[in-house]
């Protein structure tokens, strides 16, 4: 009889835990200075989307060795494959429209938070 009660209690706890949502996990955060070099791609074309500027900034830091004072390194975007995901990650993340405008003008400091959630990785960007 005790075994039956224990099994029933265990089954109830397992059923209850299935409905519990897993919290998103902060993978990494870094600060960067978005300078004029970050606003243009390798073909010297002006970038028009915040995710493009984030991707170029990280390529400048990790691939080309172009850093402005205030640029920190990160482990996540050191990978070219992860830099390719910047558009999708920002579309699932958050940046205020006023922050996006400032970022596209350049000469601003930003904080980037890289998160892992149930629907995949995403970034939140704040402009200082």
């Amino acid at each position: 009889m005790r075994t039956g009660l224990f099994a029933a209690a265990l089954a109830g706890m397992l059923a209850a835990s299935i409905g519990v949502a897993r919290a998103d996990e902060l993978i990494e955060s870094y600060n960067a200075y978005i300078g004029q070099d970050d606003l243009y791609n390798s073909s010297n074309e002006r970038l028009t989307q915040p995710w493009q500027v984030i991707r170029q900034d990280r390529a400048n830091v990790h691939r080309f060795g172009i850093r402005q004072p205030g640029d920190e390194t990160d482990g996540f975007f050191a990978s070219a494959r992860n830099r390719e995901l910047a558009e999708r990650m920002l579309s699932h993340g958050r940046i205020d429209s006023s922050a996006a405008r400032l970022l596209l003008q350049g000469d601003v400091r930003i904080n980037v938070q890289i998160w892992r959630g149930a629907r995949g990785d995403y970034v939140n960007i704040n402009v200082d």
Side-chain angles (χ1 to χ4, degrees):
M1 178 96 159
R2 285 183 137 180
T3 305
L5 288 174
F6 178 74
L10 182 60
M13 288 189 306
L14 288 174
S17 69
I18 291 171
V20 175
R22 194 181 94 207
D24 291 357
E25 173 190 1
L26 179 64
I27 298 173
E28 188 171 8
S29 69
Y30 67 90
N31 296 306
Y33 182 81
I34 302 300
Q36 293 302 305
D37 289 336
D38 300 321
L39 301 178
Y40 294 86
N41 66 17
S42 301
S43 301
N44 206 31
E45 297 168 329
R46 177 71 182 216
L47 302 174
T48 60
Q49 298 298 317
W51 67 266
Q52 294 171 324
V53 175
I54 298 300
R55 183 177 177 180
Q56 185 65 47
D57 170 69
R58 294 294 87 190
N60 284 345
V61 167
H62 293 294
R63 182 173 178 206
F64 302 116
I66 300 170
R67 294 179 64 179
Q68 290 90 20
D71 276 343
E72 296 177 353
T73 60
D74 68 284
F76 189 85
F77 287 123
S79 159
R81 182 181 180 283
N82 284 347
R83 289 193 301 270
E84 290 174 10
L85 300 174
E87 178 180 14
R88 183 189 60 76
M89 291 176 70
L90 188 53
S91 72
H92 288 74
R94 180 186 50 78
I95 184 170
D96 294 331
S97 58
S98 60
R101 281 192 300 276
L102 290 170
L103 187 144
L104 289 172
Q105 292 173 7
D107 298 320
V108 295
R109 295 188 188 284
I110 63 171
N111 174 264
V112 178
Q113 296 176 343
I114 305 165
W115 291 86
R116 176 151 298 143
R119 296 179 53 210
D121 297 343
Y122 62 94
V123 295
N124 291 337
I125 300 172
N126 295 302
V127 173
D128 294 337

